[in-house]
Amino acid sequence: MKMKKLLLLIIVLTMVMNTSAQKTLTERQLNLCACASLEAQGDIERLKPAISRALDGGVTVNELKETFSQLYAYAGFPRSLNALGILARVLDERKAQGIDDNEGKPFERPAVWDNAELALRQGTEVQTKMVGGTPFNYDFCPQDDYYLKSHLFGDIFAGNQLSAADRELVTVAALSSLKGAESQLASHKAGAVNMGNSKEQVEELCRWLSINGYSQVDCAADAEAGAWDKGVVNPYNQYFTGCSYLANIRPVNISEGGETLANYQNVTFEPGCRNNWHIHHGAHQLLICVSGKGWYQEWGKEPVELLPGMIVDIPDEVKHWHGAQRDAWFQHLSCITLTGTEKESHEWLEPVSDEHYSSIHEK
């Protein structure tokens, strides 16, 4: 009887541990990271509605202030001040509409601001924890070594509005939006785990940033996608389930009378990613499979497995979809050629349902 109780206790504890490991990011955290990403990009047009969504989703005014001010160290003062200016404008507009936004915890002046020795000591401790427990000294440039320890990890990280875990999430979001900062992004992804997030949560954030068009560089820890350049996050991902990437092969177009008749691109699908059912009007598409494993299906027909070297010829006006298999990356080259029968357009239709997609693999 005691053995049965012990086994039951082990099972319950295992379930609790698994549930904890699978914890996902909150709406508040994702909204905060969206604002951080847009500040870093300097995308004021998208930042304004993102701030409103963040306030509606549980982010406080003071958390946004601290996020925007902290990120001056990564994105520069101009973009930090611009973001704070947009925040002030949004708050005024919402107040005029009768919306009373949550200010959050009162701002408390950190003690390290008045004690340079304390700031250096405390910042060194924070930096050491972030890099995994081993002290880091940037001897090549003593100035930056001091700025990092005393100012960034001391003065800035001493603010009382964000937890260490959330502070690193917004930093990852900002760095994923800055081309040329990939090494710092990788360091802060590891730092985000050391400061209290799970590895799964950090990868979840990177995937979410990519799928929703925030990141400017490949943030996720990908499996091998293939030998071809992935390019950038696909601007048409709103018509995809999962995340895809788009790269121009090279600017070679066949023209006739000044009108472009062909366009060549490489499309990379992450595992499980597929586009919606769609139709090409006035255009014929050729898919050349170059790596991974995928699927192609025309409406009313059985799906076809796609492997490297296979070519799919898709006439215009045919309803179809294509994408990766659920356990593999997939890349194909796409050639769109105008037929001249009518003006070229893409008609995006309903998504390929999870049920239908899963049934293909089960067969």
Side-chain angles (χ1 to χ4, degrees):
M1 192 64 171
K2 289 183 178 180
M3 181 60 70
K4 287 184 177 180
K5 288 184 177 179
L6 180 60
L7 288 173
L8 180 60
L9 179 60
I10 292 173
I11 292 172
V12 171
L13 288 174
T14 301
M15 292 174 65
V16 170
M17 291 173 66
N18 286 340
T19 301
S20 175
Q22 294 170 2
K23 182 181 178 183
T24 58
L25 299 174
T26 64
E27 180 185 2
R28 170 192 158 277
Q29 289 172 314
L30 293 176
N31 279 318
L32 199 61
C33 288
C35 291
S37 170
L38 295 172
E39 176 193 340
Q41 294 178 51
D43 193 339
I44 298 302
E45 184 177 346
R46 293 175 65 195
L47 179 58
K48 187 175 180 180
I51 289 175
S52 289
R53 287 194 298 271
L55 293 168
D56 292 335
V59 179
T60 70
V61 173
N62 286 338
E63 286 173 336
L64 284 170
K65 286 182 180 180
E66 185 144 314
T67 295
F68 293 155
S69 60
Q70 169 190 320
L71 293 181
Y72 101 81
Y74 301 95
F77 259 128
R79 292 186 174 180
S80 173
L81 293 171
N82 287 345
L84 287 165
I86 293 298
L87 172 60
R89 190 185 310 170
V90 170
L91 292 173
D92 286 342
E93 292 175 357
R94 289 168 64 90
K95 186 175 182 180
Q97 298 168 11
I99 301 174
D100 186 18
D101 288 305
N102 181 9
E103 289 287 332
K105 293 184 295 185
F107 168 77
E108 295 178 5
R109 181 183 176 88
V112 298
W113 287 10
D114 302 311
N115 188 327
E117 184 179 347
L118 178 61
L120 179 60
R121 183 169 67 250
Q122 186 168 306
T124 302
E125 292 173 357
V126 171
Q127 184 192 50
T128 300
K129 180 179 180 181
M130 185 175 298
V131 299
T134 302
F136 173 80
N137 295 308
Y138 192 45
D139 296 328
F140 177 73
C141 183
Q143 298 97 315
D144 268 16
D145 186 60
Y146 177 78
Y147 299 154
L148 287 168
K149 289 182 170 69
S150 184
H151 181 52
L152 177 58
F153 298 119
D155 292 336
I156 296 178
F157 273 55
N160 70 318
Q161 298 300 320
L162 298 176
S163 67
D166 284 350
R167 198 177 287 282
E168 274 302 284
L169 289 178
V170 300
T171 302
V172 167
L175 290 172
S176 76
S177 304
L178 296 173
K179 292 183 179 180
E182 286 82 357
S183 61
Q184 290 85 357
L185 172 60
S187 296
H188 278 278
K189 284 181 64 178
V193 175
N194 293 332
M195 300 307 280
N197 300 288
S198 69
K199 184 177 180 181
E200 291 75 18
Q201 286 174 312
V202 177
E203 291 305 326
E204 177 195 349
L205 172 63
C206 290
R207 187 175 297 262
W208 183 85
L209 291 167
S210 292
I211 290 174
N212 289 278
Y214 291 110
S215 59
Q216 299 296 301
V217 298
D218 191 5
C219 179
D222 299 331
E224 269 306 311
W228 290 77
D229 179 26
K230 285 171 60 179
V232 299
V233 174
N234 194 336
Y236 293 96
N237 265 348
Q238 67 202 72
Y239 303 115
F240 285 65
T241 299
C243 188
S244 67
Y245 302 83
L246 196 64
N248 289 318
I249 303 302
R250 56 177 179 161
V252 175
N253 294 308
I254 302 172
S255 301
E256 184 176 288
E259 183 181 10
T260 300
L261 296 181
N263 180 44
Y264 304 88
Q265 293 176 314
N266 176 50
V267 185
T268 301
F269 301 79
E270 69 174 10
C273 175
R274 65 273 186 187
N275 49 34
N276 291 4
W277 289 97
H278 60 284
I279 300 172
H280 300 292
H281 298 296
H284 154 214
Q285 185 177 34
L286 195 69
L287 304 181
I288 303 173
C289 307
V290 293
S291 68
K293 298 186 295 182
W295 295 110
Y296 169 78
Q297 185 177 21
E298 293 182 4
W299 187 259
K301 297 183 180 181
E302 289 296 309
V304 177
E305 183 177 26
L306 301 181
L307 298 172
M310 297 179 68
I311 298 176
V312 182
D313 194 343
I314 310 170
D316 59 346
E317 307 306 324
V318 171
K319 183 176 179 179
H320 65 284
W321 69 271
H322 37 103
Q325 295 190 21
R326 64 185 175 190
D327 61 349
W329 287 81
F330 177 59
Q331 290 183 318
H332 67 55
L333 308 184
S334 171
C335 174
I336 299 288
T337 305
L338 304 184
T339 62
T341 56
E342 60 177 296
K343 186 176 180 181
E344 186 266 342
S345 65
H346 305 300
E347 182 181 357
W348 292 101
L349 304 167
E350 70 274 17
V352 177
S353 69
D354 291 339
E355 293 76 15
H356 177 69
Y357 183 73
S358 296
S359 70
I360 297 172
H361 294 86
E362 290 167 3
K363 289 179 184 179

